[in-house]
Amino acid sequence: MYDVKHHGGVHQAVYAYAREDLDTWEAELGRPLTNGVFGENLTSLGLDVNGALIGERWRIGPDVVLEVSCARIPCGTFQGWLERDGWIKRFTQAARPGAYLRVIEPGDIRAGDPVEIVHRPDHDVTVALVFRAMTLEPELLPRLLVAEALPPEEKESVRRRSA
């Protein structure tokens, strides 16, 4: 059983994590980490997932367009999956959360498909900034409101917590 309120849905249709970040964790944890081990459907290489802007759009292969919507916030399910005590705290402090994306244009994605950034919004709200604001640095919360593509429930949480 998993928490359907906080997992999946339109704004969390795809979870992307960078292979480079998995490699860093691999070294820190002292064990091999295969693509997908963090639950990601998309493991990228050469793409700054945490530096992606909320609302940024990626074309993957010839057909698929995804839009960056929010950062992953770690939960007990994630900690249980990795079987590491203190994992949530460690993952949070590292601030390399990966990104959730919504599907704009569906299609098939194949291993090795190129990723092209086709739109970057005119703000500076990155996945990493959202993560830091929502977890360790709540003083950053007001900065998030300029990101139109943040999911409505996340924007509402930001408004409540910023008041």
Side-chain angles (χ1 to χ4, degrees):
M1 181 85 68
Y2 66 95
D3 177 2
V4 293
K5 180 179 178 187
H6 298 106
H7 296 89
V10 172
H11 305 292
Q12 296 180 0
V14 176
Y15 176 48
Y17 205 77
R19 181 67 243 178
E20 295 87 346
D21 289 333
L22 283 173
D23 292 344
T24 300
W25 283 118
E26 202 171 66
E28 286 185 36
L29 296 172
R31 70 182 223 207
L33 296 174
T34 59
N35 292 344
V37 72
F38 282 8
E40 73 273 16
N41 331 74
L42 182 63
T43 306
S44 69
L45 185 62
L47 182 66
D48 184 4
V49 175
N50 296 308
L53 298 173
I54 302 300
E56 182 173 297
R57 290 188 178 190
W58 302 347
R59 178 174 302 285
I60 304 176
D63 303 318
V64 175
V65 176
L66 304 177
E67 182 177 76
V68 177
S69 60
C70 54
R72 178 198 200 146
I73 306 297
C75 63
T77 302
F78 187 34
Q79 179 161 307
W81 179 257
L82 283 183
E83 299 175 332
R84 286 276 177 176
D85 289 337
W87 175 248
I88 292 173
K89 182 177 181 180
R90 192 170 183 181
F91 186 83
T92 300
Q93 288 173 334
R96 295 186 303 263
Y100 280 119
L101 301 102
R102 61 178 64 88
V103 177
I104 303 301
E105 294 178 24
D108 293 327
I109 295 174
R110 289 162 292 288
D113 276 350
V115 178
E116 174 189 5
I117 298 171
V118 295
H119 171 73
R120 286 183 63 87
D122 188 24
H123 61 67
D124 67 348
V125 180
T126 64
V127 170
L129 177 65
V130 170
F131 184 78
R132 290 181 10 245
M134 298 295 278
T135 57
L136 301 170
E137 300 175 59
E139 65 276 10
L140 297 174
L141 285 167
R143 291 185 53 195
L144 306 185
L145 293 173
V146 300
E148 292 295 322
L150 265 180
E153 60 276 2
E154 220 164 295
K155 274 190 167 180
E156 184 54 35
S157 174
V158 168
R159 283 187 187 98
R160 274 195 319 274
R161 293 177 59 200
S162 298

